[in-house]
Amino acid sequence: MANSNIAFSLFFAFFVGHGIVELQASHHVYSHLQTVKSSVSAKQPYRTGYHFQPPKNWINDPNGIMVYKGVYHLFYQYNPKGAVWGNIVWAHSTSKDLVNWTPHEAAIYPSQPSDINGCWSGSATILPGGKPAILYTGIDPLNRQVQNLAIPKNLSDPYLREWIKSAKNPLMQPTAQNHINASSFRDPTTAWLGPDKQWRVIVGSKVNRQGLAILFKSKDFVNWVQSKTPLDSAKNIGMWECPDFFPVLVKGRNGVDTSINGPYVKHVLKVSLDDTRHDIYTIGSYDNVKDVYTPDKGSIESYSSVRYDYGKYYASKTFFDNVKNRRILMGWINESSSVADDIKKGWSGVHAIPRKIWLDGSGKQLVQWPVPEIQKLRANHVSFANKTLRGGSVIEISNVNAAQADVDVSFEIADLEKAEVLKPSWTNAQLLCSRKGALVKGRLGPFGLLVLASDDLKENTAVFFRIFKRQNKHVVLICSDQSRSSLNQDNDKTPYGAFLDVDIQHQKLSLRSLIDHSIVESFCGGGKVCITSRVYPTLAINKAAHLYAFNNGTQAIKISKLNAWSMKTAKIN
Ligand code: DQQ
């Protein structure tokens, strides 16, 4: 069966010393499939044209992303031997534009006792003098999770092809004294400098069901001392994987270096929840003298916290791009297909398009937008404006390659009074999208796009809005309904959804979707809500894929503007 949204953590228990150490991998572990050789045909319909993926095999988290001497570096969790998780190394690709990527040899792979059973996720920090350093999780001979350091062998190589590991590894490890859970201690962040000139880093962890961001401090980046209290924690939420902690400007869209603090920034703590496989975040203030992070009122870590993406998107990471003064977010998009299908196609996992990220004017959420470099792939521009979509209508957007496209559309609603009433119990957006899919008629909506659609519409992924009213306010629901995305029943086709905080009395409703054969990455309300769907059409592939705008509500709505482009194929390894 398909992967479900809830990850099943696997536990291996075995005896070490006097006690039992419980070893945990957050990924599905299929030991017998970890070294099954893959062969991938270039003609496969689900290979992406411009979303990052290696030629074959399994990939997951982006790691250690940075810009060095004008070159962007992407490392990522990779199984060189098969299409399921296992045998994990840090694969490495570089780029001058975040669009086209050149592969290199794996940068970090098991080679010393402190990582002999795997090189798991971690981050890069740029040390004074512009020297990069990588902290990553190693799995040691006892299968304990420990933290290691690697530095470039040759700083004059902009491609940073070779890395040396510290002879002092591991630098942070679970001991009988610190009570750190040896099977839940991983994914160090980019480190930041405090006013006392000491480095700080957090590592994800848990104790029972409490998620933790354990804080360590160091004067020299080698000797690390655990702080008495974690930087943050939350009860009943499970393991915090891949934490990310960074400042954002209160005003403006530029990014700032991770060590910056002051009244003009807020801090963001993102954690990847192993329980739900969602990347959630809080926004708050960070006192770097006392090392206390306080999430703002109403910004709390829970299963229903704000998310970077309400679809398939996990283990993300940001970095500060000091060349263009922006903070960039990169994330992993897992498959929604069965393991048998993944093995058959010989690969698994892709990365989302790098997104610029900044704080919304409300201060309550982040905004994300595809980096502008991606626009260089645009070709065959199709555009129209002021087109009325009557209730029940579907119009084709032709002359674009609908399997590999960038579509940007905005809608206007003439009479908001016609909105249906939102029932008080309708608080779960995803559930509402499941109940009210694209075929369920409403008044104001569903309207939006039908992407990766077959000409008979038997297959399509519907990305659409519905507008409700509650008391005197309007509520906008956005759904990515993949329930009809494929005739193959083995895929996870649960619809995704979120509420969009937008003032539709005064603003148009915008939707941009990056369509790439088996990915629909959507940015709604100018990037306030993102939803990524992973779909596997059987009819709507390559030239047989179509793109439509539709309105299945009773009320007419207007497309105020639509721009669509075919996307050229990027060099993605
Ligand atoms: N993936 C890595 C871990 C991390 C998890 C292992 C998140 O370090 O916690 O491949 O997807």
Side-chain angles (χ1 to χ4, degrees), residues 26-27 60-61 77 85 88 120-121 186-187 241-242 277 314-315 332:
S26 64
H27 301 273
N60 55 292
D61 323 350
Q77 297 278 285
W85 183 85
I88 292 294
W120 289 14
S121 287
R186 53 184 182 267
D187 312 335
E241 297 190 307
C242 302
R277 300 259 120 181
Y314 194 63
W332 164 46

Side-chain angles (χ1 to χ4, degrees), residues 430-466:
Q430 179 165 11
L431 212 62
L432 197 49
C433 290
S434 293
R435 284 205 198 129
K436 290 180 174 278
L439 293 183
V440 180
K441 265 196 190 310
R443 273 193 235 149
L444 296 181
F447 60 85
L449 299 172
L450 299 176
V451 308
L452 294 172
S454 56
D455 56 359
D456 56 4
L457 292 181
K458 270 198 185 125
E459 279 185 345
N460 68 77
T461 296
V463 190
F464 63 83
F465 297 101
R466 274 179 195 274

Side-chain angles (χ1 to χ4, degrees), residues 217-413:
K217 285 174 75 171
S218 171
K219 289 189 180 123
D220 57 5
F221 222 80
V222 175
N223 296 291
W224 292 87
V225 178
Q226 188 187 345
S227 296
K228 279 206 186 80
T229 42
L231 186 76
D232 197 16
S233 66
K235 291 205 174 109
N236 293 321
I237 199 168
M239 173 67 189
W240 284 2
E241 297 190 307
C242 302
D244 196 19
F245 187 58
F246 57 90
V248 282
L249 287 175
V250 172
K251 274 203 185 112
R253 298 182 174 191
N254 281 352
V256 284
D257 182 84
T258 310
S259 295
I260 295 290
N261 204 350
Y264 49 90
V265 300
K266 300 290 292 183
H267 270 77
V268 176
L269 176 62
K270 181 282 296 189
V271 294
S272 300
L273 290 186
D274 192 16
D275 275 13
T276 58
R277 300 259 120 181
H278 295 157
D279 279 9
I280 61 159
Y281 65 87
T282 52
I283 297 168
S285 311
Y286 169 52
D287 177 337
N288 60 2
V289 175
K290 294 191 186 128
D291 273 321
V292 173
Y293 168 68
T294 315
D296 290 347
K297 206 162 163 254
S299 188
I300 42 162
E301 277 109 0
S302 78
Y303 287 163
S304 46
S305 297
V306 264
R307 287 162 59 181
Y308 278 164
D309 193 297
Y310 291 81
K312 203 133 238 189
Y313 192 87
Y314 194 63
S316 63
K317 186 135 289 211
T318 64
F319 75 103
F320 174 56
D321 173 4
N322 63 357
V323 178
K324 296 203 168 163
N325 275 324
R326 55 186 176 174
R327 186 161 284 274
I328 289 172
L329 170 72
M330 294 172 82
W332 164 46
I333 308 172
N334 197 358
E335 302 296 317
S336 294
S337 47
S338 66
V339 172
D341 281 352
D342 296 345
I343 300 273
K344 217 188 289 166
K345 69 189 198 309
W347 58 274
S348 182
V350 296
H351 283 175
I353 294 301
R355 304 171 180 177
K356 180 172 160 163
I357 185 167
W358 67 93
L359 186 65
D360 180 53
S362 68
K364 291 198 173 124
Q365 67 163 108
L366 297 164
V367 186
Q368 303 160 61
W369 200 246
V371 293
E373 286 91 330
I374 203 77
Q375 294 168 18
K376 70 161 96 163
L377 298 175
R378 287 172 169 175
N380 308 351
H381 187 194
V382 171
S383 170
F384 57 82
N386 296 325
K387 192 166 186 85
T388 300
L389 267 184
R390 278 207 212 100
S393 61
V394 177
I395 57 162
E396 177 151 21
I397 300 149
S398 19
N399 299 323
V400 283
N401 173 1
Q404 206 173 296
D406 181 352
V407 196
D408 201 354
V409 54
S410 55
F411 298 98
E412 240 176 285
I413 296 98

